[in-house]
Protein backbone atom coordinates (compact mmCIF):
# COMPACT_ATOMS: atom_id res chain seq x y z
CA UNK A 1 0.00 0.00 0.00
CA UNK A 2 1.42 3.41 -1.00
CA UNK A 3 0.93 6.13 1.61
CA UNK A 4 -0.22 9.63 0.73
CA UNK A 5 0.45 11.90 3.75
CA UNK A 6 1.94 14.88 1.84
CA UNK A 7 3.99 16.25 4.76
CA UNK A 8 5.57 12.86 5.48
CA UNK A 9 6.11 12.27 1.75
CA UNK A 10 7.91 15.61 1.35
CA UNK A 11 10.01 14.92 4.46
CA UNK A 12 11.07 11.61 2.93
CA UNK A 13 11.88 13.24 -0.41
CA UNK A 14 13.89 15.94 1.39
CA UNK A 15 15.74 13.16 3.23
CA UNK A 16 16.41 11.48 -0.14
CA UNK A 17 17.93 14.74 -1.39
CA UNK A 18 20.22 14.86 1.64
CA UNK A 19 21.27 11.24 1.10
CA UNK A 20 21.92 11.83 -2.61
CA UNK A 21 24.05 14.89 -1.87
CA UNK A 22 26.04 13.15 0.86
CA UNK A 23 26.29 9.53 -0.34
CA UNK A 24 25.58 9.69 -4.06
CA UNK A 25 23.09 7.67 -6.08
CA UNK A 26 24.47 4.33 -4.86
CA UNK A 27 23.83 5.38 -1.28
CA UNK A 28 20.17 6.16 -1.92
CA UNK A 29 18.37 3.28 -0.26
CA UNK A 30 15.05 3.12 1.55
CA UNK A 31 16.94 2.36 4.76
CA UNK A 32 19.19 5.42 4.32
CA UNK A 33 16.17 7.65 3.63
CA UNK A 34 14.33 6.32 6.69
CA UNK A 35 17.40 6.95 8.86
CA UNK A 36 17.93 10.47 7.46
CA UNK A 37 14.25 11.33 7.97
CA UNK A 38 14.27 9.88 11.48
CA UNK A 39 11.32 7.58 10.78
CA UNK A 40 10.82 3.86 11.47
CA UNK A 41 12.45 1.40 9.09
CA UNK A 42 10.14 0.61 6.19
CA UNK A 43 8.47 4.01 6.07
CA UNK A 44 9.99 5.11 2.74
CA UNK A 45 9.04 1.83 1.08
CA UNK A 46 5.44 2.51 2.13
CA UNK A 47 5.51 5.82 0.22
CA UNK A 48 7.54 4.92 -2.87
CA UNK A 49 7.27 1.75 -4.93
CA UNK A 50 11.00 1.69 -5.81
CA UNK A 51 14.28 3.65 -5.83
CA UNK A 52 13.58 4.98 -9.32
CA UNK A 53 10.54 6.79 -7.97
CA UNK A 54 12.74 8.32 -5.23
CA UNK A 55 15.12 9.59 -7.92
CA UNK A 56 12.25 11.14 -9.87
CA UNK A 57 10.62 12.72 -6.83
CA UNK A 58 13.94 14.16 -5.61
CA UNK A 59 14.34 15.88 -8.98
CA UNK A 60 10.83 17.34 -8.82
CA UNK A 61 11.29 18.46 -5.22
CA UNK A 62 14.52 20.30 -6.04
CA UNK A 63 12.69 22.53 -8.50
CA UNK A 64 9.72 22.93 -6.18
CA UNK A 65 11.92 24.15 -3.34
CA UNK A 66 13.82 26.61 -5.56
CA UNK A 67 10.83 28.55 -6.81
CA UNK A 68 11.54 32.30 -6.69
CA UNK A 69 9.83 34.30 -3.99
CA UNK A 70 6.81 36.48 -4.71
CA UNK A 71 9.09 39.49 -4.16
CA UNK A 72 11.49 38.27 -6.85
CA UNK A 73 8.67 37.64 -9.30
CA UNK A 74 7.24 41.08 -8.52
CA UNK A 75 10.64 42.65 -9.18
CA UNK A 76 10.73 40.82 -12.50
CA UNK A 77 7.27 42.15 -13.37
CA UNK A 78 7.61 45.72 -12.11
CA UNK A 79 11.33 46.51 -11.84
CA UNK A 80 13.26 48.64 -14.29
CA UNK A 81 14.02 47.00 -17.63
CA UNK A 82 17.80 47.17 -17.33
CA UNK A 83 20.87 44.95 -17.25
CA UNK A 84 21.17 45.87 -13.57
CA UNK A 85 17.76 44.28 -12.90
CA UNK A 86 18.92 41.15 -14.71
CA UNK A 87 22.10 41.13 -12.61
CA UNK A 88 19.98 41.39 -9.45
CA UNK A 89 17.74 38.54 -10.62
CA UNK A 90 20.73 36.34 -11.54
CA UNK A 91 22.37 37.11 -8.18
CA UNK A 92 19.13 36.11 -6.45
CA UNK A 93 18.98 32.87 -8.44
CA UNK A 94 22.56 31.93 -7.58
CA UNK A 95 21.96 32.81 -3.90
CA UNK A 96 18.81 30.62 -3.77
CA UNK A 97 20.71 27.69 -5.23
CA UNK A 98 23.70 28.24 -2.95
CA UNK A 99 21.27 28.32 -0.03
CA UNK A 100 20.06 24.85 -1.02
CA UNK A 101 23.51 23.35 -1.55
CA UNK A 102 22.45 19.76 -0.96
CA UNK A 103 19.61 20.13 -3.45
CA UNK A 104 21.92 21.16 -6.27
CA UNK A 105 24.47 18.48 -5.40
CA UNK A 106 21.63 15.94 -5.41
CA UNK A 107 20.56 17.23 -8.81
CA UNK A 108 24.11 16.70 -10.10
CA UNK A 109 23.96 13.14 -8.77
CA UNK A 110 20.62 12.67 -10.53
CA UNK A 111 22.10 13.94 -13.78
CA UNK A 112 24.98 11.49 -13.51
CA UNK A 113 22.56 8.68 -12.69
CA UNK A 114 20.47 9.69 -15.70
CA UNK A 115 23.36 8.73 -17.98
CA UNK A 116 22.74 5.13 -16.85
CA UNK A 117 18.94 5.21 -16.54
CA UNK A 118 17.12 6.20 -19.74
CA UNK A 119 13.80 6.69 -17.91
CA UNK A 120 15.37 9.12 -15.48
CA UNK A 121 17.15 10.88 -18.34
CA UNK A 122 13.84 11.34 -20.14
CA UNK A 123 12.17 12.79 -17.04
CA UNK A 124 15.08 15.12 -16.23
CA UNK A 125 15.34 16.23 -19.86
CA UNK A 126 11.65 17.11 -19.86
CA UNK A 127 11.91 18.94 -16.52
CA UNK A 128 15.06 20.90 -17.36
CA UNK A 129 13.75 21.77 -20.82
CA UNK A 130 10.51 23.06 -19.26
CA UNK A 131 12.52 25.12 -16.74
CA UNK A 132 14.66 26.64 -19.50
CA UNK A 133 11.61 27.41 -21.64
CA UNK A 134 9.87 28.98 -18.63
CA UNK A 135 12.89 31.21 -17.96
CA UNK A 136 13.20 32.26 -21.60
CA UNK A 137 9.47 32.98 -21.85
CA UNK A 138 9.45 34.98 -18.60
CA UNK A 139 12.45 36.98 -19.73
CA UNK A 140 11.00 37.79 -23.13
CA UNK A 141 7.52 38.52 -21.74
CA UNK A 142 8.95 40.83 -19.07
CA UNK A 143 10.44 43.20 -21.63
CA UNK A 144 13.92 42.97 -20.12
CA UNK A 145 16.76 43.57 -22.56
CA UNK A 146 18.25 40.57 -24.34
CA UNK A 147 16.87 37.69 -26.34
CA UNK A 148 16.44 33.95 -25.91
CA UNK A 149 20.13 33.32 -26.62
CA UNK A 150 21.04 35.80 -23.87
CA UNK A 151 19.00 33.79 -21.38
CA UNK A 152 20.56 30.52 -22.54
CA UNK A 153 24.08 31.92 -22.27
CA UNK A 154 23.39 33.14 -18.73
CA UNK A 155 21.86 29.77 -17.84
CA UNK A 156 24.97 27.93 -19.02
CA UNK A 157 27.48 30.33 -17.48
CA UNK A 158 25.79 30.60 -14.10
CA UNK A 159 25.18 26.87 -13.80
CA UNK A 160 28.89 26.23 -14.14
CA UNK A 161 29.70 29.02 -11.68
CA UNK A 162 27.32 27.33 -9.23
CA UNK A 163 29.04 23.96 -9.76
CA UNK A 164 32.40 25.57 -9.01
CA UNK A 165 31.08 27.35 -5.91
CA UNK A 166 29.45 24.19 -4.53
CA UNK A 167 32.13 21.65 -5.33
CA UNK A 168 35.35 23.70 -5.16
CA UNK A 169 34.36 26.73 -3.07
CA UNK A 170 37.90 28.09 -2.83
CA UNK A 171 38.08 28.75 -6.59
CA UNK A 172 35.76 31.79 -6.57
CA UNK A 173 34.92 33.61 -3.34
CA UNK A 174 31.72 35.61 -2.86
CA UNK A 175 33.17 38.82 -4.27
CA UNK A 176 34.61 37.12 -7.34
CA UNK A 177 31.35 35.25 -7.94
CA UNK A 178 29.41 38.53 -7.75
CA UNK A 179 31.84 40.12 -10.23
CA UNK A 180 31.49 37.16 -12.60
CA UNK A 181 27.68 37.29 -12.47
CA UNK A 182 27.81 40.97 -13.39
CA UNK A 183 30.33 40.29 -16.18
CA UNK A 184 28.21 37.45 -17.57
CA UNK A 185 25.15 39.70 -17.71
CA UNK A 186 27.13 42.54 -19.31
CA UNK A 187 28.45 40.22 -22.01
CA UNK A 188 25.22 38.30 -22.65
CA UNK A 189 22.85 41.28 -22.64
CA UNK A 190 23.48 44.07 -25.16
CA UNK A 191 23.73 47.61 -23.84
CA UNK A 192 20.63 49.69 -24.51
Amino acid sequence: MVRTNPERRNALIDAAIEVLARDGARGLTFRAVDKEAGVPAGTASNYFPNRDELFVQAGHRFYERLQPSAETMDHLATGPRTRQTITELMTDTVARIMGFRTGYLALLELRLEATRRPELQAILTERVRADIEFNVRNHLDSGLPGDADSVLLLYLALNWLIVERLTLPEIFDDAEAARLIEAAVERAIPAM
Side-chain angles (χ1 to χ4, degrees):
M1 174 169 86
V2 177
R3 306 283 175 147
T4 59
N5 177 325
E7 293 83 21
R8 171 69 59 95
R9 183 177 177 79
N10 283 341
L12 290 166
I13 297 168
D14 289 342
I17 288 170
E18 296 301 315
V19 171
L20 275 169
R22 184 185 61 239
D23 301 331
R26 290 180 187 242
L28 184 67
T29 64
F30 285 134
R31 180 173 290 173
V33 170
D34 289 340
K35 184 177 178 186
E36 182 68 30
V39 298
T43 302
S45 63
N46 285 328
Y47 279 81
F48 305 98
N50 52 50
R51 283 180 70 234
D52 288 343
E53 185 63 18
L54 270 176
F55 286 130
V56 169
Q57 293 305 314
H60 287 302
R61 183 80 170 139
F62 168 77
Y63 285 99
E64 182 180 295
R65 287 184 56 186
L66 275 181
Q67 290 300 308
S69 68
E71 179 181 291
T72 298
M73 292 308 289
D74 184 57
H75 187 54
L76 177 63
T78 63
R81 305 294 181 241
T82 63
R83 287 195 307 190
Q84 180 58 38
T85 297
I86 296 169
T87 300
E88 291 165 7
L89 292 168
M90 296 300 99
T91 300
D92 174 76
T93 299
V94 171
R96 274 188 287 115
I97 293 170
M98 295 298 294
F100 187 28
R101 180 181 189 275
T102 55
Y104 199 83
L105 293 175
L107 183 63
L108 292 175
E109 284 290 336
L110 288 172
R111 284 176 173 230
L112 291 172
E113 191 64 21
T115 66
R116 296 176 285 276
R117 294 175 182 260
E119 317 80 37
L120 182 58
Q121 186 176 60
I123 290 166
L124 283 178
T125 297
E126 180 182 322
R127 182 61 183 99
V128 171
R129 182 178 290 127
D131 187 52
I132 291 169
E133 289 170 359
F134 172 81
N135 287 320
V136 168
R137 189 174 53 256
N138 272 352
H139 183 90
L140 297 176
D141 291 349
S142 74
L144 286 164
D147 58 11
D149 284 344
S150 301
V151 176
L152 296 175
L153 289 170
L154 288 172
Y155 167 82
L156 294 169
L158 295 183
N159 267 295
W160 200 256
L161 175 63
I162 291 164
V163 168
E164 293 294 335
R165 296 276 292 140
L166 291 176
T167 61
L168 302 169
E170 309 238 344
I171 300 283
F172 301 114
D173 63 17
D174 291 343
E176 183 69 358
R179 188 190 71 73
L180 289 169
I181 292 168
E182 187 171 339
V185 172
E186 286 177 7
R187 286 169 174 76
I189 306 293
M192 295 187 71

